[in-house]
Amino acid sequence: MTGRQRERRHRRTGAAVVAAVVMAGVGLGAGGCAGGDAVAGDAGGDAAVVLHRAADRLVEAGSSKARTSMEMAAGGTRVTIRGAGVYDYRKRMGQLRVLLPQDPAGATERRPITELLAPGALFMKNRGAGVPPDKWVRVDIRTLSDGNLVTGGATDPFAAAEVLRGTRSAKFVGRTEVAGTGVRHYRGTADLGAAAKKASEGNKEALKAAAKGFATAEVPFDVYLDDEGRIRKVRHRFSFVGGQQKSPVAVASTTLLYDFGASARVRLPDTDDIYAGKIAEE
C-alpha cells in the first residue's frame, strides 16, 4: 500500500468513526454525518468587540481544565454526551475523556473515548469496532462537514472560543456567577463564515467547512466572561442534517472552562500507534 493510499484510508475510516460517535453511537441516525479591555454592559465596552477578543484572552491564560456537554435532539429522542479534560490554548492542543450515553438496549456498557485535539486533527481511542484497544484513529477535521464542532461528541474548546470571532450581534444580559466566579453574561449570534476569516490557522478551514456544512451558518450563543475577559462558560446552538435524518438535528454544545494555568501536557500518538485498517460496523 502506498503512502497516498494509506492516507486515503485514514480519512475514510476516521470520518466513519467520528460520525458514529454522534450519529450511530447515540441512536439519532445510522452514520454520516469558543484582560485588559473594557467589558461591555457595566464597563462601557462594545459587546461584539469584547467577544471578538475572548479567544485571545484564553491564549493569554495559557491553559485550563474543561468540561463539555453536547445535547442532541431529533425525532423526539434526546441524548447528552459529556466530556472532561485539559486544553493548552497556545499550542492548540487538548485531551478529553468523552462519555457516550448508554445504548438504547442497555446490553453493553460503553467505554470512555479518549480524544486528543490538535491543529487540523482529532485522535480517538476506544472507538470503532475492530480497532485494537492500543491503537488510535486519526481524523483530518478538514474533511468533516461540521469542522468537528459536533461530530467528535465535544466541541474543541478553542474552536468554541473562535466561533465568537464571528459575532454579528450581541448584548450584555447582566452579571451572574458560574461555579462561584463572578461573570458577565452575553447573548448573541455569530456567523461561522466570518469566524473562519478571523480564526487561527488551525481553525480556519474547519470553521469554513462548518459554515457550508451546517443547516445555517448563523450560531446563537450565550457566553459568560470573567473580569479578565476569559470564557468561563459558552453555549452554542447548532443545526445540521446528517445520516438518515430528513429534518435538522438540534445540537446544544456547552463548554465550561476553569482552573486556568493547569498543567495541560498532551502527547500525540506515534505513527505506529495509529490504526490504518478497516473499521467494522457496530
Side-chain angles (χ1 to χ4, degrees):
M1 180 182 294
T2 67
R4 180 168 297 180
Q5 290 173 324
R6 185 176 296 107
E7 177 63 21
R8 287 174 180 168
R9 173 172 288 184
H10 278 174
R11 291 188 178 185
R12 288 196 301 269
T13 58
V17 169
V18 178
V21 170
V22 171
M23 301 306 290
V26 300
L28 291 181
C33 210
D37 295 317
V39 180
D42 57 349
D46 178 85
V49 172
V50 171
L51 297 179
H52 289 164
R53 297 172 179 171
D56 297 329
R57 297 296 170 261
L58 295 182
V59 175
E60 292 171 3
S63 64
S64 77
K65 293 182 180 179
R67 290 189 180 278
T68 64
S69 173
M70 187 167 287
E71 304 167 19
M72 310 183 69
T77 301
R78 183 179 296 274
V79 296
T80 302
I81 304 171
R82 302 188 186 280
V86 295
Y87 200 93
D88 185 323
Y89 302 103
R90 293 172 183 168
K91 294 181 178 180
R92 313 292 199 265
M93 296 173 65
Q95 178 170 322
L96 295 174
R97 183 174 182 266
V98 177
L99 297 175
L100 294 180
Q102 188 77 4
D103 68 68
T108 58
E109 181 178 353
R110 297 188 185 277
R111 294 180 300 169
I113 299 171
T114 300
E115 296 188 1
L116 301 182
L117 308 167
L122 169 66
F123 299 85
M124 306 174 72
K125 180 182 279 190
N126 293 340
R127 186 59 189 174
V131 180
D134 61 337
K135 294 293 185 180
W136 295 83
V137 173
R138 181 188 185 281
V139 182
D140 184 341
I141 65 174
R142 294 169 298 182
T143 66
L144 302 175
S145 62
D146 73 296
N148 195 36
L149 292 175
V150 172
T151 56
T155 302
D156 179 305
F158 194 65
E162 293 218 280
V163 168
L164 299 180
R165 294 191 191 278
T167 298
R168 293 295 197 191
S169 62
K171 66 178 181 179
F172 173 71
V173 178
R175 289 192 65 90
T176 184
E177 288 189 357
V178 171
T181 297
V183 294
R184 294 175 174 86
H185 177 193
Y186 301 89
R187 179 172 295 140
T189 302
D191 180 88
L192 290 171
K197 294 177 181 179
K198 301 175 183 178
S200 62
E201 287 301 318
N203 285 326
K204 279 185 181 296
E205 293 302 318
L207 291 177
K208 187 183 299 183
K212 297 177 180 178
F214 279 126
T216 173
E218 297 296 311
V219 180
F221 64 81
D222 281 85
V223 62
Y224 303 79
L225 306 184
D226 63 20
D227 289 341
E228 295 183 50
R230 303 173 301 193
I231 295 171
R232 290 291 180 148
K233 179 180 178 180
V234 60
R235 181 178 177 87
H236 299 100
R237 289 173 291 283
F238 303 116
S239 179
F240 73 97
V241 178
Q244 296 181 346
Q245 299 299 316
K246 296 181 180 179
S247 59
V249 177
V251 179
S253 176
T254 302
T255 303
L256 183 69
L257 305 178
Y258 61 103
D259 199 0
F260 288 98
S263 177
R265 297 179 181 177
V266 179
R267 180 181 181 275
L268 299 182
D270 294 330
T271 301
D272 292 342
D273 294 327
I274 299 175
Y275 184 67
K278 181 178 180 180
I279 298 173
E281 294 291 337
E282 293 194 32

mmCIF file of all heavy atoms in Angstrom, residues 35-76:
data_model
loop_
_atom_site.group_PDB
_atom_site.id
_atom_site.type_symbol
_atom_site.label_atom_id
_atom_site.label_comp_id
_atom_site.label_asym_id
_atom_site.label_seq_id
_atom_site.Cartn_x
_atom_site.Cartn_y
_atom_site.Cartn_z
ATOM 1 N N GLY A 35 -8.516 40.451 29.156
ATOM 2 C CA GLY A 35 -7.863 41.049 30.271
ATOM 3 C C GLY A 35 -8.032 42.543 30.367
ATOM 4 O O GLY A 35 -8.858 43.047 31.059
ATOM 5 N N GLY A 36 -7.449 42.952 29.555
ATOM 6 C CA GLY A 36 -7.397 44.350 29.941
ATOM 7 C C GLY A 36 -8.425 45.241 29.276
ATOM 8 O O GLY A 36 -8.464 46.421 29.561
ATOM 9 N N ASP A 37 -9.228 44.814 28.377
ATOM 10 C CA ASP A 37 -10.176 45.667 27.677
ATOM 11 C C ASP A 37 -11.363 46.013 28.549
ATOM 12 O O ASP A 37 -11.728 45.295 29.463
ATOM 13 C CB ASP A 37 -10.689 44.964 26.405
ATOM 14 C CG ASP A 37 -9.585 44.751 25.396
ATOM 15 O OD1 ASP A 37 -8.793 45.679 25.203
ATOM 16 O OD2 ASP A 37 -9.499 43.646 24.823
ATOM 17 N N ALA A 38 -12.011 47.098 28.205
ATOM 18 C CA ALA A 38 -13.273 47.442 28.864
ATOM 19 C C ALA A 38 -14.296 46.381 28.504
ATOM 20 O O ALA A 38 -14.325 45.882 27.391
ATOM 21 C CB ALA A 38 -13.750 48.808 28.395
ATOM 22 N N VAL A 39 -15.123 46.005 29.466
ATOM 23 C CA VAL A 39 -16.113 44.968 29.245
ATOM 24 C C VAL A 39 -17.465 45.622 29.047
ATOM 25 O O VAL A 39 -17.834 46.554 29.750
ATOM 26 C CB VAL A 39 -16.152 43.983 30.435
ATOM 27 C CG1 VAL A 39 -17.193 42.906 30.198
ATOM 28 C CG2 VAL A 39 -14.784 43.351 30.621
ATOM 29 N N ALA A 40 -18.233 45.111 28.081
ATOM 30 C CA ALA A 40 -19.500 45.736 27.724
ATOM 31 C C ALA A 40 -20.496 45.675 28.860
ATOM 32 O O ALA A 40 -20.403 44.874 29.764
ATOM 33 C CB ALA A 40 -20.073 45.047 26.488
ATOM 34 N N GLY A 41 -21.509 46.524 28.763
ATOM 35 C CA GLY A 41 -22.599 46.494 29.717
ATOM 36 C C GLY A 41 -22.315 47.391 30.902
ATOM 37 O O GLY A 41 -22.690 48.547 30.922
ATOM 38 N N ASP A 42 -21.615 46.852 31.915
ATOM 39 C CA ASP A 42 -21.388 47.644 33.118
ATOM 40 C C ASP A 42 -20.033 48.327 33.111
ATOM 41 O O ASP A 42 -19.627 48.920 34.094
ATOM 42 C CB ASP A 42 -21.539 46.773 34.375
ATOM 43 C CG ASP A 42 -20.594 45.577 34.368
ATOM 44 O OD1 ASP A 42 -19.984 45.315 33.316
ATOM 45 O OD2 ASP A 42 -20.485 44.919 35.412
ATOM 46 N N ALA A 43 -19.283 48.251 31.982
ATOM 47 C CA ALA A 43 -17.978 48.916 31.942
ATOM 48 C C ALA A 43 -17.788 49.744 30.680
ATOM 49 O O ALA A 43 -16.704 50.197 30.395
ATOM 50 C CB ALA A 43 -16.858 47.884 32.068
ATOM 51 N N GLY A 44 -18.856 49.890 29.899
ATOM 52 C CA GLY A 44 -18.797 50.815 28.782
ATOM 53 C C GLY A 44 -18.212 50.290 27.499
ATOM 54 O O GLY A 44 -18.078 51.044 26.539
ATOM 55 N N GLY A 45 -17.829 49.032 27.409
ATOM 56 C CA GLY A 45 -17.265 48.497 26.183
ATOM 57 C C GLY A 45 -18.341 48.051 25.212
ATOM 58 O O GLY A 45 -19.522 48.009 25.530
ATOM 59 N N ASP A 46 -17.920 47.717 23.985
ATOM 60 C CA ASP A 46 -18.836 47.215 22.968
ATOM 61 C C ASP A 46 -18.872 45.692 23.056
ATOM 62 O O ASP A 46 -17.827 45.037 23.004
ATOM 63 C CB ASP A 46 -18.370 47.662 21.588
ATOM 64 C CG ASP A 46 -19.274 47.129 20.490
ATOM 65 O OD1 ASP A 46 -20.298 47.769 20.210
ATOM 66 O OD2 ASP A 46 -18.966 46.055 19.950
ATOM 67 N N ALA A 47 -20.071 45.100 23.145
ATOM 68 C CA ALA A 47 -20.205 43.658 23.369
ATOM 69 C C ALA A 47 -19.522 42.851 22.268
ATOM 70 O O ALA A 47 -18.769 41.907 22.541
ATOM 71 C CB ALA A 47 -21.680 43.278 23.474
ATOM 72 N N ALA A 48 -19.769 43.195 20.998
ATOM 73 C CA ALA A 48 -19.196 42.425 19.904
ATOM 74 C C ALA A 48 -17.674 42.472 19.921
ATOM 75 O O ALA A 48 -16.996 41.461 19.702
ATOM 76 C CB ALA A 48 -19.733 42.938 18.566
ATOM 77 N N VAL A 49 -17.108 43.652 20.197
ATOM 78 C CA VAL A 49 -15.653 43.794 20.239
ATOM 79 C C VAL A 49 -15.070 42.935 21.347
ATOM 80 O O VAL A 49 -14.057 42.246 21.167
ATOM 81 C CB VAL A 49 -15.259 45.272 20.442
ATOM 82 C CG1 VAL A 49 -13.753 45.396 20.687
ATOM 83 C CG2 VAL A 49 -15.667 46.096 19.228
ATOM 84 N N VAL A 50 -15.688 42.955 22.517
ATOM 85 C CA VAL A 50 -15.219 42.142 23.639
ATOM 86 C C VAL A 50 -15.241 40.657 23.281
ATOM 87 O O VAL A 50 -14.289 39.916 23.557
ATOM 88 C CB VAL A 50 -16.082 42.401 24.886
ATOM 89 C CG1 VAL A 50 -15.753 41.403 25.995
ATOM 90 C CG2 VAL A 50 -15.866 43.823 25.388
ATOM 91 N N LEU A 51 -16.303 40.206 22.628
ATOM 92 C CA LEU A 51 -16.434 38.790 22.296
ATOM 93 C C LEU A 51 -15.483 38.385 21.179
ATOM 94 O O LEU A 51 -14.993 37.253 21.161
ATOM 95 C CB LEU A 51 -17.881 38.477 21.914
ATOM 96 C CG LEU A 51 -18.899 38.709 23.038
ATOM 97 C CD1 LEU A 51 -20.299 38.404 22.561
ATOM 98 C CD2 LEU A 51 -18.554 37.878 24.265
ATOM 99 N N HIS A 52 -15.195 39.291 20.256
ATOM 100 C CA HIS A 52 -14.219 39.001 19.207
ATOM 101 C C HIS A 52 -12.856 38.660 19.809
ATOM 102 O O HIS A 52 -12.077 37.898 19.223
ATOM 103 C CB HIS A 52 -14.061 40.200 18.271
ATOM 104 C CG HIS A 52 -15.239 40.435 17.383
ATOM 105 N ND1 HIS A 52 -15.444 41.619 16.707
ATOM 106 C CD2 HIS A 52 -16.298 39.629 17.055
ATOM 107 C CE1 HIS A 52 -16.562 41.542 16.010
ATOM 108 N NE2 HIS A 52 -17.102 40.341 16.203
ATOM 109 N N ARG A 53 -12.562 39.220 20.991
ATOM 110 C CA ARG A 53 -11.244 39.054 21.601
ATOM 111 C C ARG A 53 -11.208 37.987 22.691
ATOM 112 O O ARG A 53 -10.167 37.762 23.317
ATOM 113 C CB ARG A 53 -10.792 40.389 22.201
ATOM 114 C CG ARG A 53 -10.625 41.488 21.149
ATOM 115 C CD ARG A 53 -10.380 42.837 21.780
ATOM 116 N NE ARG A 53 -10.187 43.875 20.772
ATOM 117 C CZ ARG A 53 -10.115 45.171 21.035
ATOM 118 N NH1 ARG A 53 -10.213 45.589 22.287
ATOM 119 N NH2 ARG A 53 -9.942 46.047 20.054
ATOM 120 N N ALA A 54 -12.328 37.330 22.923
ATOM 121 C CA ALA A 54 -12.391 36.336 24.009
ATOM 122 C C ALA A 54 -11.400 35.195 23.805
ATOM 123 O O ALA A 54 -10.781 34.708 24.755
ATOM 124 C CB ALA A 54 -13.813 35.789 24.132
ATOM 125 N N ALA A 55 -11.223 34.752 22.562
ATOM 126 C CA ALA A 55 -10.271 33.668 22.292
ATOM 127 C C ALA A 55 -8.846 34.105 22.620
ATOM 128 O O ALA A 55 -8.037 33.312 23.111
ATOM 129 C CB ALA A 55 -10.379 33.223 20.832
ATOM 130 N N ASP A 56 -8.522 35.371 22.341
ATOM 131 C CA ASP A 56 -7.180 35.877 22.643
ATOM 132 C C ASP A 56 -6.911 35.866 24.150
ATOM 133 O O ASP A 56 -5.776 35.645 24.585
ATOM 134 C CB ASP A 56 -7.017 37.303 22.106
ATOM 135 C CG ASP A 56 -7.137 37.366 20.593
ATOM 136 O OD1 ASP A 56 -6.763 36.384 19.926
ATOM 137 O OD2 ASP A 56 -7.612 38.402 20.083
ATOM 138 N N ARG A 57 -7.945 36.110 24.936
ATOM 139 C CA ARG A 57 -7.786 36.102 26.395
ATOM 140 C C ARG A 57 -7.452 34.690 26.887
ATOM 141 O O ARG A 57 -6.734 34.526 27.883
ATOM 142 C CB ARG A 57 -9.052 36.617 27.070
ATOM 143 C CG ARG A 57 -9.380 38.069 26.715
ATOM 144 C CD ARG A 57 -8.289 39.018 27.223
ATOM 145 N NE ARG A 57 -8.459 40.356 26.691
ATOM 146 C CZ ARG A 57 -7.772 40.842 25.648
ATOM 147 N NH1 ARG A 57 -6.866 40.084 25.046
ATOM 148 N NH2 ARG A 57 -7.996 42.073 25.230
ATOM 149 N N LEU A 58 -7.966 33.685 26.196
ATOM 150 C CA LEU A 58 -7.629 32.308 26.569
ATOM 151 C C LEU A 58 -6.169 32.004 26.250
ATOM 152 O O LEU A 58 -5.484 31.325 27.017
ATOM 153 C CB LEU A 58 -8.541 31.311 25.844
ATOM 154 C CG LEU A 58 -10.032 31.372 26.205
ATOM 155 C CD1 LEU A 58 -10.787 30.292 25.440
ATOM 156 C CD2 LEU A 58 -10.237 31.196 27.711
ATOM 157 N N VAL A 59 -5.705 32.502 25.124
ATOM 158 C CA VAL A 59 -4.295 32.304 24.765
ATOM 159 C C VAL A 59 -3.402 32.941 25.813
ATOM 160 O O VAL A 59 -2.375 32.376 26.219
ATOM 161 C CB VAL A 59 -4.001 32.892 23.370
ATOM 162 C CG1 VAL A 59 -2.507 32.800 23.060
ATOM 163 C CG2 VAL A 59 -4.802 32.149 22.303
ATOM 164 N N GLU A 60 -3.786 34.123 26.283
ATOM 165 C CA GLU A 60 -3.012 34.799 27.326
ATOM 166 C C GLU A 60 -3.021 33.987 28.620
ATOM 167 O O GLU A 60 -2.021 33.954 29.345
ATOM 168 C CB GLU A 60 -3.588 36.191 27.573
ATOM 169 C CG GLU A 60 -3.399 37.148 26.413
ATOM 170 C CD GLU A 60 -4.155 38.451 26.600
ATOM 171 O OE1 GLU A 60 -4.784 38.618 27.677
ATOM 172 O OE2 GLU A 60 -4.134 39.298 25.683
ATOM 173 N N ALA A 61 -4.135 33.315 28.900
ATOM 174 C CA ALA A 61 -4.234 32.493 30.112
ATOM 175 C C ALA A 61 -3.370 31.242 30.008
ATOM 176 O O ALA A 61 -2.925 30.703 31.017
ATOM 177 C CB ALA A 61 -5.691 32.101 30.364
ATOM 178 N N GLY A 62 -3.132 30.766 28.795
ATOM 179 C CA GLY A 62 -2.242 29.624 28.586
ATOM 180 C C GLY A 62 -2.942 28.286 28.519
ATOM 181 O O GLY A 62 -2.818 27.553 27.533
ATOM 182 N N SER A 63 -3.681 27.942 29.564
ATOM 183 C CA SER A 63 -4.304 26.621 29.607
ATOM 184 C C SER A 63 -5.447 26.633 30.619
ATOM 185 O O SER A 63 -5.597 27.583 31.382
ATOM 186 C CB SER A 63 -3.286 25.549 29.999
ATOM 187 O OG SER A 63 -2.809 25.798 31.328
ATOM 188 N N SER A 64 -6.211 25.562 30.625
ATOM 189 C CA SER A 64 -7.268 25.407 31.625
ATOM 190 C C SER A 64 -7.781 23.978 31.609
ATOM 191 O O SER A 64 -7.466 23.195 30.705
ATOM 192 C CB SER A 64 -8.438 26.366 31.353
ATOM 193 O OG SER A 64 -9.249 25.885 30.297
ATOM 194 N N LYS A 65 -8.596 23.678 32.595
ATOM 195 C CA LYS A 65 -9.358 22.446 32.556
ATOM 196 C C LYS A 65 -10.678 22.752 31.846
ATOM 197 O O LYS A 65 -11.077 23.913 31.745
ATOM 198 C CB LYS A 65 -9.615 21.922 33.976
ATOM 199 C CG LYS A 65 -8.350 21.461 34.677
ATOM 200 C CD LYS A 65 -8.658 20.900 36.063
ATOM 201 C CE LYS A 65 -7.369 20.432 36.747
ATOM 202 N NZ LYS A 65 -7.640 19.893 38.107
ATOM 203 N N ALA A 66 -11.321 21.719 31.355
ATOM 204 C CA ALA A 66 -12.556 21.931 30.599
ATOM 205 C C ALA A 66 -13.540 20.801 30.844
ATOM 206 O O ALA A 66 -13.148 19.644 31.029
ATOM 207 C CB ALA A 66 -12.243 22.032 29.107
ATOM 208 N N ARG A 67 -14.813 21.161 30.822
ATOM 209 C CA ARG A 67 -15.902 20.187 30.829
ATOM 210 C C ARG A 67 -16.809 20.505 29.655
ATOM 211 O O ARG A 67 -17.068 21.674 29.370
ATOM 212 C CB ARG A 67 -16.692 20.223 32.141
ATOM 213 C CG ARG A 67 -15.917 19.690 33.339
ATOM 214 C CD ARG A 67 -16.810 19.536 34.563
ATOM 215 N NE ARG A 67 -16.069 19.039 35.704
ATOM 216 C CZ ARG A 67 -15.792 17.756 35.921
ATOM 217 N NH1 ARG A 67 -16.240 16.841 35.066
ATOM 218 N NH2 ARG A 67 -15.100 17.373 36.972
ATOM 219 N N THR A 68 -17.265 19.463 28.988
ATOM 220 C CA THR A 68 -18.107 19.670 27.823
ATOM 221 C C THR A 68 -19.403 18.885 27.959
ATOM 222 O O THR A 68 -19.448 17.840 28.625
ATOM 223 C CB THR A 68 -17.402 19.232 26.523
ATOM 224 O OG1 THR A 68 -17.173 17.810 26.572
ATOM 225 C CG2 THR A 68 -16.072 19.945 26.364
ATOM 226 N N SER A 69 -20.430 19.402 27.323
ATOM 227 C CA SER A 69 -21.724 18.722 27.296
ATOM 228 C C SER A 69 -22.347 18.984 25.938
ATOM 229 O O SER A 69 -22.397 20.134 25.493
ATOM 230 C CB SER A 69 -22.634 19.246 28.403
ATOM 231 O OG SER A 69 -23.938 18.696 28.283
ATOM 232 N N MET A 70 -22.801 17.929 25.266
ATOM 233 C CA MET A 70 -23.431 18.082 23.970
ATOM 234 C C MET A 70 -24.790 17.405 23.995
ATOM 235 O O MET A 70 -24.889 16.182 24.137
ATOM 236 C CB MET A 70 -22.550 17.495 22.861
ATOM 237 C CG MET A 70 -23.064 17.776 21.458
ATOM 238 S SD MET A 70 -21.830 17.401 20.195
ATOM 239 C CE MET A 70 -20.687 18.774 20.424
ATOM 240 N N GLU A 71 -25.835 18.206 23.896
ATOM 241 C CA GLU A 71 -27.201 17.699 23.903
ATOM 242 C C GLU A 71 -27.727 17.689 22.477
ATOM 243 O O GLU A 71 -27.618 18.687 21.765
ATOM 244 C CB GLU A 71 -28.092 18.580 24.771
ATOM 245 C CG GLU A 71 -27.597 18.737 26.201
ATOM 246 C CD GLU A 71 -28.332 19.853 26.930
ATOM 247 O OE1 GLU A 71 -29.425 20.241 26.470
ATOM 248 O OE2 GLU A 71 -27.797 20.341 27.935
ATOM 249 N N MET A 72 -28.319 16.565 22.078
ATOM 250 C CA MET A 72 -28.824 16.427 20.718
ATOM 251 C C MET A 72 -30.271 15.982 20.755
ATOM 252 O O MET A 72 -30.660 15.160 21.584
ATOM 253 C CB MET A 72 -27.985 15.425 19.943
ATOM 254 C CG MET A 72 -26.492 15.661 20.030
ATOM 255 S SD MET A 72 -25.556 14.519 19.027
ATOM 256 C CE MET A 72 -26.014 15.084 17.404
ATOM 257 N N ALA A 73 -31.065 16.529 19.848
ATOM 258 C CA ALA A 73 -32.481 16.181 19.800
ATOM 259 C C ALA A 73 -32.903 15.998 18.356
ATOM 260 O O ALA A 73 -32.614 16.836 17.499
ATOM 261 C CB ALA A 73 -33.323 17.269 20.453
ATOM 262 N N ALA A 74 -33.582 14.874 18.089
ATOM 263 C CA ALA A 74 -34.112 14.607 16.751
ATOM 264 C C ALA A 74 -35.184 13.536 16.863
ATOM 265 O O ALA A 74 -35.009 12.521 17.549
ATOM 266 C CB ALA A 74 -33.011 14.140 15.797
ATOM 267 N N GLY A 75 -36.297 13.745 16.202
ATOM 268 C CA GLY A 75 -37.348 12.742 16.176
ATOM 269 C C GLY A 75 -37.865 12.361 17.543
ATOM 270 O O GLY A 75 -38.226 11.201 17.785
ATOM 271 N N GLY A 76 -37.881 13.303 18.470
ATOM 272 C CA GLY A 76 -38.384 13.003 19.807
ATOM 273 C C GLY A 76 -37.375 12.349 20.726
ATOM 274 O O GLY A 76 -37.672 12.044 21.877
#
